[in-house]
């Protein structure tokens, strides 16, 4: 008989609801519980998360259907499913954690009636970002929470929250964590925060100039860690050369201390660091309102700088680089005490 | 239980905790060592030490590889215990696989290939790994015997994710890492959600659609490489590897007179009857020209060839017994011939170092009876009309190429339908006319010029790409049957144009900024 009345295929909404119920169950989880039942529920939960993923991404047989995705997304954010999921991730097995991460990532981009409702949800639940950021301190969770975080800061409003939160300072340590995979993930998030939303970044850098660049210089550009210096000088170039940050750039290249740090980076034995350092160094030289102390550094070191630049070759032919170099040399050569 | 505890062990994140014993592999920017982890009972480990200063400008690829390694978990996949930086090098600490790579094993002791029973064990475990990877949305992109490792207990693990890619991350920059991989360069971003268009892998093992990668490829590319790996294990070498791995290799094999060498080789190794029908059929299905006709890894696991597959003990008795240690084999191979294939855990032919390879293959035909792969050259084939030139070491290409160009390759041949193009990007796609009407693309000089100009100034580039698009549009009249390719070509060029436009915009912004400073300088009196 049963075969005749096969259960109706579950709709995306059913799956979200069931996932939520299971998450609620595990969220309340206490020690004294039937472990066998728990195991069964966990299998069920993992299966549901995988189904959500397959609706959102499609699978080998079918491409995702936008209507199903929209239904799923709407139901997901109707209640606190995201919070439950984030809280329960440590309880899941590795495969389910990866599935959950991909589900959360995808939901950030799902439009519901051409609106990103994920953004609205997060706006009311910003404290979730605190959970995700601190995740970098947990070796087990860092890569999962990190990937979710990077997706969430695609929303400008979320990025603004994170930039202005006290957590921002923690990134200076996270990107130097000894585990390379975690440090590199934190660095990717840090870069995203400081480059993605132009106006927000410009506002942040102007308002936080003092502490931010003090930390940036001492903790990152002067770090003893090669990879930190390399990433930091590259990102610095990206930030300063962005037109929206021109005010910050002007301020940065007027500081004698900053020039000193960049000149040291220019002398590094690593070619990659040298090249990135040059792209920042040239801004000091191109600045047409050089403060007197900057000019005096250039003048005092004129012959050394010119020799260094003259011998500075990059492996690949690069007209732009050569042109920049010629201009910088000309600029410095023309300086008089 | 025991396995659970073993997983929890945290390997130390400082180099002083490891004692390096021996070098067991080397490549372009990486060295692999055997080492002992002192605090953990001197457990043997393999350490892949990657020179970060020599890897690509942005470290995204390295990050992705590290992440992939951390998040994969399968008995047939070699995962990393941990990774950390040591000065300018990244150390990736992995379990030590005492048997080394299958490539090193066959090179040392089974030069005419393994028996089918052994091949089945190795391939089945490899397929298990592939099936897991594909289920996770990952492509390995460099399947070959050199990346399949065996432990002393006969367990088989797939290694090296230097060029692997994930469909879930493919929207980030361009995929295609090049951390320590032999050949990888990337150009355009992927076109559809499950497709890749960048060029990655090692040529002998590369699927036709990867070589023609602008059309996109996906999981089935791994299946092709898997088929080539099967041939490699059966014959002791991948198809066509009897040709010297020199820069001119692929140029040479596209010439007709070289064909005789291939025939000689085929005859010399004629003992194809030793292979079973099931094996031939399995390999043939993987080497189908049409990716959609190749089986998935899941389906392949059910192939009769893998039925009654023996256990790993069989591998220990029949392959590993009496085999010298990994380090000994590696050192021997270095002494015998510094250019021979001595690399082990790492995946590079040392012969590749410092060499530029320019390879052109328009297709492969699998000869099922002979269990051989035979090349198809553009000249003899009407369908495969897009050819790609790849280069491996950026700096040397121009010089080397000039030598090649002034040599035999560029001889005007009326019916040669392909050409070599030098270009600033690491990858060049060239349109080649079809042979059906005996037509030749007589605009090839213009095309060459156009593509060369691409590396010039950005403004010029915009104009030239438009010109190129017109050019291709014009060709359609003559070569009707490759219209489809042209449409794809155009859409690819459009994407490139878009990218260049964006770059241009950025540069313009920079320029404006500098101009601003300059003009204010003019206004302010100089002392």
């Amino acid at each position: 008989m049963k075969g005749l009345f096969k259960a109706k295929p579950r709709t995306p909404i059913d799956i979200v609801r069931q996932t939520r119920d299971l998450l609620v169950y595990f969220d309340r989880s206490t020690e004294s519980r039937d472990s066998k039942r728990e195991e069964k529920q966990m299998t069920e939960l993992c299966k549901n998360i995988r189904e959500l993923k397959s609706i959102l991404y499609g699978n080998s047989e079918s491409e995702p259907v936008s209507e199903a995705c929209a239904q799923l997304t709407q139901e997901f954010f109707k209640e606190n499913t995201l919070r439950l999921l984030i809280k329960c991730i440590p309880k899941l097995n590795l495969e389910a954690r990866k599935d959950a991460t991909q589900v959360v990532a995808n939901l950030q981009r799902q439009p519901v009636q051409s609106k990103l409702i994920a953004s609205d949800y997060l706006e009311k639940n910003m404290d979730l970002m605190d959970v995700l950021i601190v995740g970098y301190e947990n070796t087990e969770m860092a890569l999962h929470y990190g990937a979710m975080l990077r997706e969430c800061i695609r929303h400008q409003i979320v990025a603004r929250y994170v930039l202005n939160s006290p957590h921002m300072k923690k990134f200076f340590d996270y990107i130097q964590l000894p585990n390379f995979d975690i440090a590199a993930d934190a660095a990717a998030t840090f870069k995203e925060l400081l480059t993605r939303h132009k106006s927000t970044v410009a506002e942040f850098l102007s308002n936080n100039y003092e502490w931010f660049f003090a930390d940036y210089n001492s903790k990152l550009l002067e770090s003893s860690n090669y990879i930190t210096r390399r990433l930091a000088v590259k990102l610095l170039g990206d930030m300063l050369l962005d037109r929206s940050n021109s005010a910050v750039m002007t301020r940065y290249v007027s500081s004698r201390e900053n020039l000193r740090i960049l000149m040291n980076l220019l002398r590094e034995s690593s070619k990659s660091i040298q090249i990135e350092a040059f792209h920042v160094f040239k801004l000091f030289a191109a600045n047409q309102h050089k403060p007197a102390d900057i000019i005096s550094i250039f003048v005092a070191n004129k012959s050394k700088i010119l020799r260094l630049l003259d011998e500075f070759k990059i492996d690949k032919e690069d007209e732009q680089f050569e042109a920049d170099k010629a201009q910088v040399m000309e600029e410095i050569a023309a300086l008089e005490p | 239980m025991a396995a659970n505890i073993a997983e929890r062990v945290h390997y130390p994140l400082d180099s002083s905790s490891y004692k390096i014993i021996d070098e067991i592999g080397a490549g372009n920017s990486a060295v692999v060592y055997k080492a002992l982890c002192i605090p953990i009972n001197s457990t043997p480990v393999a350490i892949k030490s990657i020179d970060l200063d020599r890897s690509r400008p942005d470290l995204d690829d390295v990050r992705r590889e590290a992440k992939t390694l951390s998040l994969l978990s399968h008995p047939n996949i070699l995962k990393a215990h941990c990774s950390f930086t040591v000065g300018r090098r990244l150390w990736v600490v992995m379990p030590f696989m005492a048997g080394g790579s299958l490539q090193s094993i066959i090179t040392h002791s089974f030069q005419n290939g393994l028996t089918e029973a052994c091949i089945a064990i190795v391939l089945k475990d490899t397929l298990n790994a592939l099936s897991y990877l594909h289920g996770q949305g990952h492509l390995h992109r460099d399947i070959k015997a050199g990346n399949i490792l065996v432990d002393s207990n006969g367990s088989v693990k797939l290694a090296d994710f230097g060029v692997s890619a994930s469909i879930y991350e493919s929207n980030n920059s361009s995929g295609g890492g090049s951390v320590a991989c032999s050949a990888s360069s990337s150009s355009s971003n992927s076109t559809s959600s499950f497709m890749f268009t960048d060029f990655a892998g090692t040529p002998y093992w590369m699927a036709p659609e990867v070589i023609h990668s602008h059309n996109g490829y996906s999981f089935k590319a791994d299946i092709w490489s898997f088929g080539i790996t099967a041939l490699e294990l059966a014959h002791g070498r991948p198809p066509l590897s009897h040709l010297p791995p020199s820069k001119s290799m692929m140029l040479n094999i596209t010439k007709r007179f070289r064909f005789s060498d291939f025939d000689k080789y085929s005859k010399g190794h004629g003992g194809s009857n030793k292979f079973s029908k099931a094996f031939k059929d399995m390999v043939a299905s993987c080497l189908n020209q049409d990716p959609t006709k190749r089986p998935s890894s899941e389906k392949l696991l059910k192939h009769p060839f893998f039925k009654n597959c023996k256990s790993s003990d069989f591998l220990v008795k029949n392959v590993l017994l009496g085999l010298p240690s990994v380090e000994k084999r590696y050192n021997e191979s270095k002494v015998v011939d510094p250019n021979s294939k001595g690399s082990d855990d790492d995946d590079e032919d040392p012969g590749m170092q410092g060499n530029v390879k320019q390879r052109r293959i328009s297709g492969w035909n699998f000869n099922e009876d002979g269990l051989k792969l035979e090349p198809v050259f553009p000249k003899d084939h009407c369908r495969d009309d897009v050819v790609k030139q790849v280069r491996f070491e950026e700096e040397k290409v121009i010089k080397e190429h000039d030598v090649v160009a002034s040599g035999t390759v560029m001889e005007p041949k009326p019916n040669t339908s392909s050409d070599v193009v030098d270009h600033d990007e690491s990858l060049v796609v060239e349109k080649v006319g079809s042979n059906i009407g005996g037509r030749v693309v007589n605009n090839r000089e213009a095309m060459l010029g156009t593509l060369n100009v691409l590396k010039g100034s950005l403004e010029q580039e915009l104009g030239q790409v438009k010109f190129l698009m017109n050019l291709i549009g014009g060709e359609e009249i003559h070569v009707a049957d490759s219209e489809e390719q042209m449409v794809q070509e155009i859409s690819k060029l459009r994407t490139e144009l878009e990218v260049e436009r964006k770059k241009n915009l950025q540069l313009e912004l920079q320029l404006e900024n500098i101009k601003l400073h300059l003009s204010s300088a003019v206004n302010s009196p100089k002392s």
Side-chain angles (χ1 to χ4, degrees):
Chain A
M1 269 310 266
K2 225 179 172 186
L4 277 176
F5 301 99
K6 249 192 177 163
K8 260 200 302 182
R10 295 186 302 159
T11 65
I13 295 173
D14 295 337
I15 301 171
V16 175
R17 284 187 183 149
Q18 216 181 85
T19 307
R20 187 160 53 222
D21 292 345
L22 287 162
L23 285 170
V24 169
Y25 171 85
F26 281 103
D27 188 39
R28 283 204 217 103
S29 162
T30 44
E31 294 296 310
S32 56
R33 230 173 25 191
D34 181 0
S35 68
K36 210 154 193 186
R37 181 182 141 85
E38 184 142 337
E39 212 171 286
K40 210 178 139 208
Q41 298 281 66
M42 184 49 84
T43 315
E44 198 58 28
L45 176 59
C46 295
K47 209 181 94 198
N48 275 295
I49 296 174
R50 174 144 296 192
E51 270 180 68
L52 294 176
K53 174 177 140 182
S54 123
I55 294 170
L56 292 170
Y57 287 92
N59 52 40
S60 52
E61 279 106 55
S62 55
E63 291 278 304
V65 180
S66 56
E67 198 182 328
C69 291
Q71 282 175 359
L72 187 159
T73 310
Q74 191 156 30
E75 183 62 31
F76 197 95
F77 289 112
K78 209 153 86 186
E79 284 175 52
N80 240 338
T81 327
L82 184 63
R83 177 179 299 276
L84 285 165
L85 187 58
I86 287 174
K87 272 173 79 180
C88 286
I89 278 192
K91 295 179 181 170
L92 304 176
N93 64 36
L94 177 67
E95 298 307 319
R97 285 178 188 175
K98 286 189 276 184
D99 288 341
T101 304
Q102 281 157 358
V103 166
V104 173
N106 187 292
L107 287 172
Q108 305 309 316
R109 311 172 199 185
Q110 285 293 343
V112 176
Q113 283 143 20
S114 64
K115 260 192 76 179
L116 287 174
I117 58 170
S119 178
D120 300 342
Y121 174 84
L122 288 176
E123 194 180 343
K124 295 186 203 100
N125 294 274
M126 284 299 189
D127 60 309
L128 285 176
M129 294 305 111
D130 306 342
V131 178
L132 296 183
I133 296 168
V134 178
Y136 280 120
E137 291 165 28
N138 177 344
T139 317
E140 290 286 302
M141 299 314 304
L143 291 180
H144 305 290
Y145 281 164
M148 289 188 194
L149 176 62
R150 224 165 17 261
E151 291 298 328
C152 292
I153 56 173
R154 294 167 75 95
H155 307 299
Q156 187 155 12
I157 194 156
V158 179
R160 184 179 298 130
Y161 171 82
V162 176
L163 280 169
N164 292 307
S165 75
H167 296 303
M168 201 52 200
K169 285 199 162 132
K170 293 186 177 164
F171 276 95
F172 291 88
D173 300 320
Y174 292 159
I175 63 185
Q176 305 196 62
L177 284 168
N179 272 303
F180 174 77
D181 47 354
I182 298 173
D185 194 276
T189 308
F190 188 64
K191 181 182 171 185
E192 186 81 354
L193 281 168
L194 291 166
T195 50
R196 189 174 183 96
H197 304 287
K198 308 287 182 204
S199 58
T200 307
V201 174
E203 187 191 308
F204 166 76
L205 290 177
S206 315
N207 294 342
N208 298 274
Y209 186 93
E210 296 290 346
W211 78 262
F212 181 81
F213 284 106
D215 276 15
Y216 203 96
N217 286 348
S218 63
K219 290 188 176 163
L220 305 185
L221 294 177
E222 294 192 304
S223 163
S224 58
N225 185 329
Y226 159 82
I227 204 85
T228 304
R229 290 198 307 280
R230 180 167 159 193
L231 289 167
V233 67
K234 167 89 170 71
L235 177 58
L236 180 65
D238 289 348
M239 288 190 292
L240 297 184
L241 284 162
D242 197 297
R243 209 186 181 188
S244 54
N245 295 329
S246 60
V248 170
M249 188 266 276
T250 315
R251 193 167 165 191
Y252 192 87
V253 300
S254 303
S255 148
R256 180 195 165 101
E257 172 63 6
N258 294 344
L259 177 60
R260 182 188 66 77
I261 290 170
L262 264 303
M263 278 169 65
N264 281 334
L265 289 169
L266 204 55
R267 283 169 40 208
E268 285 237 5
S269 57
S270 154
K271 204 89 188 172
S272 314
I273 291 181
Q274 275 191 309
I275 294 170
E276 296 305 335
F278 173 77
H279 287 304
V280 180
F281 175 79
K282 70 184 180 192
L283 299 172
F284 287 89
N287 179 11
Q288 293 308 314
H289 303 286
K290 295 184 198 66
D293 54 352
I294 297 269
I295 294 181
S296 67
I297 290 186
F298 277 136
V299 170
N301 296 284
K302 192 195 264 185
S303 60
K304 270 192 241 163
I305 295 174
L306 290 178
R307 195 173 345 118
L308 184 115
L309 290 178
D310 192 46
E311 288 163 4
F312 189 17
K313 299 268 187 312
I314 51 177
D315 305 333
K316 225 168 74 179
E317 210 178 304
D318 184 338
E319 284 174 33
Q320 187 59 50
F321 173 77
E322 292 302 328
D324 282 356
K325 199 175 93 172
Q327 203 192 336
V328 169
M329 288 175 75
E330 198 179 314
E331 190 74 41
I332 292 174
L335 289 177
E336 298 292 339
Chain B
M1 257 295 267
N4 257 340
I5 293 164
E7 290 240 55
R8 296 261 163 82
V9 171
H10 286 294
Y11 278 76
L13 299 166
D14 62 296
S15 58
S16 61
S17 297
Y18 299 88
K19 186 177 172 220
I20 289 178
I21 307 279
D22 225 330
E23 187 177 317
I24 52 173
N28 248 349
S29 55
V31 185
V32 183
Y33 301 104
K34 179 186 179 180
L36 301 179
C37 180
I38 300 158
I40 307 184
N41 308 321
S42 290
T43 310
V45 291
I47 298 176
K48 180 167 165 181
S49 167
I50 302 165
D51 183 349
L52 292 172
D53 214 43
R54 287 190 57 188
S55 59
R56 301 229 152 206
D58 78 279
L59 294 163
D60 254 17
D61 300 331
V62 191
R63 175 178 69 86
R64 224 166 292 154
E65 182 186 10
K67 187 177 163 183
T68 306
L69 276 172
S70 313
L71 292 180
L72 292 175
S73 171
H74 187 273
N76 297 117
I77 286 177
L78 186 73
K79 67 173 287 167
H81 290 314
C82 64
S83 55
F84 52 91
T85 54
V86 182
R88 280 189 214 168
R89 304 191 76 97
L90 174 65
W91 278 25
V92 183
V93 181
M94 296 172 285
F96 175 69
M97 301 288 283
S101 80
L102 260 305
Q103 189 253 319
S104 136
I105 292 172
I106 54 179
T107 308
H108 188 274
S109 309
F110 298 90
Q111 289 176 6
N112 290 318
L114 297 172
T115 61
E116 266 191 41
C118 294
I119 294 173
I121 302 168
V122 172
L123 289 184
K124 191 176 184 184
D125 281 348
T126 308
L127 265 187
N128 279 322
L130 261 189
S131 169
Y132 170 80
L133 270 184
H134 290 177
Q136 298 272 314
H138 282 285
L139 272 78
H140 184 279
R141 304 206 292 188
D142 205 10
I143 304 284
K144 56 182 181 181
N147 284 339
I148 303 173
L149 310 181
V150 199
D151 206 351
S152 50
N153 63 3
S155 75
V156 173
K157 288 183 200 285
L158 183 60
D160 208 314
F161 293 80
V163 290
S164 73
S166 164
I167 55 166
Y168 301 110
E169 284 209 37
S170 59
N171 55 339
N172 293 343
S173 73
S174 52
S178 66
V179 181
C181 42
S182 33
S184 132
S185 47
S186 54
S187 65
S188 51
N189 289 328
S190 57
T191 45
S192 101
S193 55
F194 280 48
M195 294 290 254
F196 294 89
T197 54
D198 54 316
F199 196 80
T202 313
Y204 295 127
W205 289 264
M206 223 177 249
E209 72 270 21
V210 179
I211 294 167
H212 307 178
S213 51
H214 67 288
N215 290 340
Y217 60 92
S218 194
F219 300 113
K220 296 297 178 65
D222 276 347
I223 300 293
W224 173 280
S225 309
F226 177 81
I228 298 289
T229 306
L231 290 179
E232 184 185 9
L233 296 174
H235 294 303
R237 71 198 74 187
L240 300 175
S241 61
H242 58 294
L243 295 171
S246 71
K247 65 178 186 216
S248 57
M249 177 188 141
M250 279 302 162
L251 297 171
N252 280 335
I253 67 158
T254 56
K255 286 180 157 188
R256 206 158 234 300
F257 67 84
R258 275 292 188 172
F259 221 120
S260 56
D261 290 356
F262 183 78
D263 288 342
K264 238 184 283 166
Y265 167 78
S266 308
K267 279 174 197 135
H269 294 255
S272 61
N273 288 335
K274 64 175 176 176
F275 298 110
S276 70
K277 179 87 186 70
F279 184 49
K280 289 178 186 173
D281 180 77
M282 191 277 292
V283 178
S285 68
C286 298
L287 297 181
N288 197 310
Q289 292 289 324
D290 181 352
T292 61
K293 291 194 180 126
R294 287 173 220 151
S296 67
S297 42
E298 201 65 43
K299 199 176 160 201
L300 211 46
L301 274 168
K302 300 193 182 94
H303 193 279
F305 178 66
F306 297 110
K307 258 188 199 154
N308 311 318
C309 191
K310 299 217 162 42
S311 73
S312 43
D313 289 342
F314 187 84
L315 215 54
V316 176
K317 282 187 201 125
N318 291 282
V319 175
L320 299 182
L321 212 68
L323 204 69
S325 71
V326 175
E327 47 271 44
K328 201 161 169 228
R329 266 178 281 152
Y330 176 72
N331 288 328
E332 270 174 25
S333 73
K334 277 202 298 193
V335 173
V336 174
D337 176 4
N339 275 331
S340 77
K341 294 184 175 176
S343 67
D344 203 298
D345 289 41
D346 201 31
D347 56 352
E348 288 175 61
D349 296 347
M352 230 164 201
Q353 291 174 42
N355 261 337
V356 176
K357 293 198 173 184
Q358 290 160 333
R359 309 176 165 214
R360 296 184 295 143
I361 317 156
S362 72
W364 301 99
N365 273 348
F366 180 63
N367 172 346
E368 191 174 337
D369 287 337
L371 201 76
K372 290 269 152 52
L373 198 66
E374 291 169 355
V376 177
F377 308 126
K379 202 171 170 174
D380 307 307
H381 205 273
C382 323
R383 286 292 310 156
D384 294 287
D385 41 13
V386 180
V387 166
K388 199 163 268 186
Q389 180 218 343
V390 191
R391 71 186 210 205
F392 294 77
E393 293 254 308
E394 313 230 349
E395 328 146 28
K396 297 195 177 166
V397 160
I398 295 169
K399 268 183 260 153
E400 298 260 7
H401 174 67
D402 284 343
V403 177
V404 175
S406 59
T408 52
V409 189
M410 297 291 277
E411 285 171 3
K413 277 191 272 169
N415 222 9
T416 302
S417 46
S418 59
D419 219 328
V420 181
V421 177
D422 191 23
H423 189 278
D424 196 39
E425 302 270 341
S426 37
L427 190 145
V428 172
V429 184
E430 187 197 348
K431 194 66 211 70
V432 176
S434 153
N435 272 1
I436 275 194
R439 280 219 60 98
V440 178
V441 180
N442 46 15
N443 283 323
R444 78 175 192 211
E445 298 298 330
M447 185 94 65
L448 189 78
T450 310
L451 290 175
N452 263 324
V453 168
L454 277 169
K455 72 180 168 186
S457 80
L458 285 168
E459 283 91 352
Q460 265 179 326
E461 188 158 1
L462 284 175
Q464 292 291 346
V465 174
K466 273 182 203 147
F467 167 70
L468 189 65
M469 285 164 66
N470 287 337
L471 199 71
I472 289 162
E475 258 176 39
E476 268 171 303
I477 305 155
H478 308 296
V479 200
D481 71 322
S482 43
E483 199 177 299
E484 201 187 305
Q485 268 85 14
M486 286 178 173
V487 171
Q488 278 158 346
E489 192 77 350
I490 288 168
S491 77
K492 182 172 183 259
L493 285 168
R494 281 217 176 97
T495 329
E496 277 180 13
L497 190 69
E498 226 14 76
V499 173
E500 292 301 342
R501 271 196 184 130
K502 271 185 205 145
K503 272 196 221 159
N504 196 11
L505 187 72
Q506 269 182 352
L507 285 173
E508 264 172 14
L509 289 177
Q510 282 180 31
L511 191 70
E512 221 171 295
N513 229 346
I514 292 167
K515 267 188 193 154
L516 212 73
H517 288 298
L518 279 174
S519 68
S520 53
V522 174
N523 295 337
S524 62
K526 263 196 180 163
S527 53

